[in-house]
Amino acid sequence: PSDLLGGASGPGRQEDRNTIIKTMRAFEWAAQLNRNRDEKADVVCRLDSDTLFFPQNLLRILHCRNFSADVPWALGHENYLHKHEEPGRLFLSGGNGICLSRAALEVFLANVAAGGIRQSPNPSDWNVGVCINVPGHWDDVVFGVCLSEFGIPVSRWGTDCAGRTLFWPHALARALPGPEQIRPPTAPP
């Protein structure tokens, strides 16, 4: 789209002040900026400000799993919390990062331009099962629905070839071996 400030919902509207549109807008802008670069980024990641991210770990996973930037995919910590309830889709936990391939960015941008993100002023519409911008903070769940609707597959390869995970959403103590180690919780923190 030529007017990035218009983005998925229009400039300066009240419903823009939420994490759902923040995530949508971040990937929309990244896609547009990447499109206009001579040297394109292979992967773009959206991270929370409190996320500790090591790009070398991402590169290791992409290399050993033979990811191609020319194929649409999304990568992160897959979450099945809403599998048996609305919206009934897999999503990537947003707090520890969501990465899209260059091809996925293009697919995302094309769907935004085609009006693929619906609008609702009702905050409770986050779980209606469609790609929608609503006031609220369910951005990772809603973005998972958008990925599904836009045909961008979520990769289950968030680990490198030695089984080390890139997207760890739990306390460091849960990652270290020892008697205090416990199973990760069944729901995100």
Side-chain angles (χ1 to χ4, degrees), residues 77-160:
H77 178 75
E78 59 272 8
N79 192 321
Y80 296 90
L81 182 64
H82 295 283
K83 181 178 180 179
H84 298 296
E85 58 186 66
E86 292 299 328
R89 302 247 178 59
L90 163 72
F91 65 96
L92 299 172
S93 293
N96 40 326
I98 298 172
C99 299
L100 297 182
S101 67
R102 180 178 57 242
L105 285 172
E106 286 297 323
V107 170
F108 182 79
L109 190 59
N111 278 276
V112 169
I117 301 175
R118 295 157 196 84
Q119 305 299 314
S120 173
N122 187 345
S124 65
D125 282 348
W126 68 270
N127 67 348
V128 296
V130 298
C131 183
I132 192 166
N133 175 33
V134 299
H137 303 285
W138 295 91
D139 57 308
D140 49 4
V141 178
V142 172
F143 194 67
V145 173
C146 295
L147 293 174
S148 177
E149 283 191 3
F150 298 168
I152 300 171
V154 172
S155 173
R156 305 308 199 281
W157 289 114
T159 59
D160 67 13

Side-chain angles (χ1 to χ4, degrees), residues 23 27 29 31 52 54 107 127 136 155-156 158:
T23 295
F27 280 117
W29 283 39
L52 181 60
F54 296 97
V107 170
N127 67 348
S155 173
R156 305 308 199 281

Side-chain angles (χ1 to χ4, degrees), residues 5-137:
L5 290 177
S9 67
R13 293 170 43 172
Q14 179 62 32
E15 59 267 24
D16 282 354
R17 292 169 179 79
N18 64 62
T19 59
I20 294 170
I21 195 60
K22 180 178 87 171
T23 295
M24 304 289 191
R25 185 74 47 78
F27 280 117
E28 179 187 359
W29 283 39
Q32 187 65 42
L33 293 170
N34 201 43
R35 181 181 276 178
N36 295 326
R37 293 182 58 182
D38 291 333
E39 188 175 327
K40 311 280 188 244
D42 289 338
V43 180
V44 171
C45 298
R46 201 273 298 147
L47 308 168
D48 279 3
S49 60
D50 61 350
T51 299
L52 181 60
F53 181 75
F54 296 97
Q56 301 88 337
N57 292 345
L58 175 62
L59 292 173
R60 187 178 64 241
I61 289 172
L62 298 177
H63 175 73
C64 84
R65 299 289 186 195
N66 290 321
F67 279 93
S68 171
D70 298 323
V71 175
W73 48 260
L75 184 64
H77 178 75
E78 59 272 8
N79 192 321
Y80 296 90
L81 182 64
H82 295 283
K83 181 178 180 179
H84 298 296
E85 58 186 66
E86 292 299 328
R89 302 247 178 59
L90 163 72
F91 65 96
L92 299 172
S93 293
N96 40 326
I98 298 172
C99 299
L100 297 182
S101 67
R102 180 178 57 242
L105 285 172
E106 286 297 323
V107 170
F108 182 79
L109 190 59
N111 278 276
V112 169
I117 301 175
R118 295 157 196 84
Q119 305 299 314
S120 173
N122 187 345
S124 65
D125 282 348
W126 68 270
N127 67 348
V128 296
V130 298
C131 183
I132 192 166
N133 175 33
V134 299
H137 303 285

